[in-house]
Amino acid sequence: MPLKFSRFSIKTKNQSYHSPTLSPNKTNSRQKAKMRPELMSRTGHGSSSATDRRLNALLRHLSSSPSSMDAHDSISASPTSGFQNDSVFSHVVRGPEDPILGVTVAYNKDPSPVKLNLGVEKQSSSLLMTGKSRIKEYLPIVGLADFNKLSAKLIFGADSPAIRENRVTTVQCLSGTGSLRVGAEFLAKHYHQRTIYIPQPTWGNHPKIFTLAGLSVKSYRYYDPATRGLNFLGLLEDLGSAPSGAIVLLHACAHNPTGVDPTLDQWERIRQLMRSKGLLPFFDSAYQGFASGSLDADAQSVRMFVADSGECLAAQSYAKNMGLYGERVGALSIVCKTAVVASKVESQLKLVIRPMYSNPPIHGASIVAAILRDRNLYNEWTIELKAMADRIISMRHQLSDALRVRGTPGDWSHIIKQIGMFTFTGLNSKQVAFMTKEYHIYMTSDGRISMAGLSSKTVPHLADAIHAAVTSVV
Ligand code: KET
């Protein structure tokens, strides 16, 4: 059977490219000359082998297909081109908005002039632009060396024996989230016990970070809704029955979302229990300086666990305490027993980071390093931090007073007792939905409000809304 040659053309703006294709009895000599010899042998001159028959069947199919080049005089539609109505991704279902970051999405859509966003904290340091980096080279996989050294000092203390003995490896990561993820990936690969215990409740991203890194996530009791305080006995019981060696996620200070922290005595009991069972502490430090206004006081929990010469991990974020949210700057430190172990651990951290994002961004880290390195800038920063922490405490008092003045039913003393940027109000999801609908106040559905989003001007509006919610919605 004779093969056919025709032409299809690819049309670009200024030219069209013609290519030989199959059509009956139109093979001209120039086309013949261009044809490969093995194809020539089949264009009417060769034998009719099984291969020829298969080729012919394929060609017949191609020339009769409705999307063939003959039919459209253009390139045939591929499954991923725009010619077909069905996307290869049409089965993909819409994912839900993030429960925390989605609050701001909803807030931005609301046209109300009285709207109030208490979903995500926002407070910035005026030192933001300090140390602008003009260098745009790649950083090493582990980040800016100076930033790493200074970050370790900030969390473990300038006089930490672990730092002096070179037992700490610190790598710059993508803010707190990235530091947790890198730490978790490292543990999933190299630590013998792949179960991590997280507090109940905790920051909503924790279970996802750890599960996706390959750890198995369990929880320990933490918050007692009846007292709106710490369920210390429940915590001790749950950690006491955790398998030996399990990883335990601890919020270094200003627990999110509850604002409930153990006292120093309770921390000491937790430390003793964890060390006696060989549980591995993984600290999440996203609010150093925001709990008390003192960087050192807010790192006490971590430092207790380092002072006993044991091992631990710590993820630091500069998003909140330096207002560097979008710069994505943070650090992961792993405190080891010896310098030799620490350097081997660092070599493995590099193998985790390199295929994940290669190396971290330079700008935010250079701002942090400039502030931490310079005594004057550092002092200025600590003064700002103290002012921000004090402002939050003042907002707590103003809100509590405003509820008292309104005679809002219930005990609201926890507003003053809780620590850090968030108040875990105790409002239920129906009351939260009511406040958003009727008062345009946005917060996460668990009733958490960011005190940093409040001002003396907006406190009365919030107090009115809470009063209406608790008196009209159960
Ligand atoms: N740990 C905790 C406890 C935490 O609350 C956050 C952020 C992070 C880590 C990570 O932050 P990063 O920006 O990666 O350094 N929490 C706030 C923002 C968010 O959900 O992303 C929040 O709870 O509103």
Side-chain angles (χ1 to χ4, degrees):
M1 181 190 160
L3 286 172
K4 352 193 264 181
F5 268 87
S6 80
R7 305 166 84 85
F8 74 86
S9 54
I10 302 172
K11 289 193 180 120
T12 60
K13 221 172 170 187
N14 305 316
Q15 68 187 53
S16 61
Y17 165 74
H18 294 277
S19 163
T21 183
L22 307 163
S23 151
N25 308 321
K26 283 194 195 158
T27 321
N28 66 29
S29 57
R30 224 178 73 229
Q31 283 167 330
K32 270 186 187 157
K34 278 189 185 164
M35 284 159 62
R36 298 208 317 271
E38 66 274 19
L39 201 58
M40 278 291 284
S41 72
R42 286 172 190 145
T43 54
H45 311 288
S47 66
S48 161
S49 68
T51 316
D52 288 344
R53 280 197 300 279
R54 276 206 302 278
L55 188 56
N56 285 339
L58 175 66
L59 294 170
R60 265 200 312 280
H61 170 75
L62 282 174
S63 57
S64 65
S65 139
S67 62
S68 76
M69 293 145 190
D70 275 353
H72 288 289
D73 193 32
S74 66
I75 303 175
S76 68
S78 83
T80 47
S81 80
F83 286 101
Q84 294 187 347
N85 289 333
D86 271 355
S87 161
V88 291
F89 303 118
S90 51
H91 63 286
V92 175
V93 295
R94 182 175 309 284
E97 289 286 358
D98 182 85
I100 297 176
L101 301 185
V103 173
T104 301
V105 176
Y107 169 83
N108 287 338
K109 283 188 194 150
D110 185 340
S112 167
V114 298
K115 66 180 179 175
L116 185 55
N117 187 0
L118 302 176
V120 187
E121 75 285 338
K122 44 179 167 22
Q123 217 162 248
S124 289
S125 159
S126 65
L127 294 167
L128 203 71
M129 290 317 292
T130 307
K132 282 170 279 186
S133 144
R134 269 173 288 119
I135 303 162
K136 300 298 174 198
E137 298 299 322
Y138 283 139
L139 281 179
I141 296 173
V142 295
L144 199 64
D146 220 18
F147 165 88
N148 289 337
K149 260 192 229 134
L150 293 160
S151 293
K153 269 190 178 175
L154 184 69
I155 190 154
F156 301 121
D159 52 356
S160 166
I163 296 178
R164 223 181 311 119
E165 293 155 14
N166 287 321
R167 294 191 285 113
V168 184
T169 165
T170 304
V171 293
Q172 181 193 331
C173 295
L174 307 189
S175 214
T177 308
S179 307
L180 290 165
R181 181 68 187 255
V182 168
E185 298 263 350
F186 168 81
L187 292 172
K189 247 176 139 180
H190 299 285
Y191 186 58
H192 65 94
Q193 174 51 270
R194 292 196 179 82
T195 305
I196 184 162
Y197 281 72
I198 60 174
Q200 171 55 36
T202 191
W203 179 47
N205 216 8
H206 278 150
K208 301 171 208 169
I209 292 171
F210 297 128
T211 305
L212 288 173
L215 297 174
S216 137
V217 175
K218 294 217 164 111
S219 62
Y220 62 88
R221 278 171 285 171
Y222 189 86
Y223 178 74
D224 182 355
T227 61
R228 292 192 175 127
L230 185 68
N231 182 352
F232 190 50
L233 283 181
L235 178 151
L236 292 178
E237 263 173 39
D238 289 349
L239 295 188
S241 51
S244 153
I247 310 155
V248 180
L249 189 280
L250 301 160
H251 293 231
C253 69
H255 182 277
N256 178 12
T258 66
V260 173
D261 285 348
T263 62
L264 282 182
D265 285 346
Q266 288 170 331
W267 272 120
E268 176 54 18
R269 293 273 303 281
I270 297 169
R271 188 194 66 77
Q272 285 170 8
L273 172 70
M274 286 183 56
R275 291 307 192 198
S276 73
K277 294 205 52 164
L279 303 175
L280 181 65
F282 192 163
F283 282 98
D284 181 355
S285 177
Y287 300 96
Q288 190 181 353
F290 262 112
S292 65
S294 152
L295 289 157
D296 288 325
D298 289 357
Q300 275 314 300
S301 56
V302 180
R303 292 180 191 176
M304 281 166 64
F305 279 79
V306 178
D308 67 10
S309 306
E311 302 186 304
C312 73
L313 288 85
Q316 282 168 273
S317 166
Y318 289 101
K320 300 120 218 272
N321 58 11
M322 284 209 190
L324 292 173
Y325 304 93
E327 290 288 350
R328 311 310 294 146
V329 59
L332 170 75
S333 288
I334 305 189
V335 181
C336 305
K337 283 270 161 92
T338 67
V340 175
V341 174
S343 84
K344 287 189 202 159
V345 164
E346 181 161 316
S347 71
Q348 287 297 336
L349 287 173
K350 285 182 178 158
L351 297 182
V352 171
I353 293 167
R354 173 65 171 149
M356 205 192 275
Y357 53 85
S358 200
N359 50 69
I362 194 167
H363 189 74
S366 66
I367 295 174
V368 173
I371 295 170
L372 296 183
R373 192 189 297 128
D374 182 282
R375 184 192 295 248
N376 291 332
L377 290 176
Y378 184 88
N379 288 340
E380 211 181 306
W381 177 48
T382 56
I383 290 164
E384 282 195 0
L385 259 179
K386 177 85 175 79
M388 291 197 270
D390 286 349
R391 201 188 81 83
I392 288 169
I393 291 165
S394 148
M395 285 303 126
R396 291 184 178 283
H397 284 280
Q398 288 183 35
L399 179 59
S400 152
D401 291 348
L403 291 173
R404 202 181 33 246
V405 167
R406 281 162 183 75
T408 308
D411 175 5
W412 297 94
S413 58
H414 58 285
I415 293 180
I416 290 169
K417 282 190 221 138
Q418 290 175 357
I419 296 162
M421 298 184 109
F422 299 113
T423 292
F424 207 45
T425 57
L427 295 164
N428 62 39
S429 58
K430 275 192 201 150
Q431 291 165 331
V432 169
F434 167 86
M435 286 168 61
T436 304
K437 188 161 174 280
E438 302 297 329
Y439 287 82
H440 306 274
I441 292 174
Y442 291 79
M443 65 180 92
T444 50
S445 61
D446 58 5
R448 184 194 81 168
I449 60 177
S450 166
M451 301 310 281
L454 268 184
S455 67
S456 305
K457 243 172 92 186
T458 52
V459 162
H461 181 52
L462 175 61
D464 287 344
I466 293 178
H467 187 85
V470 297
T471 49
S472 61
V473 185
V474 224

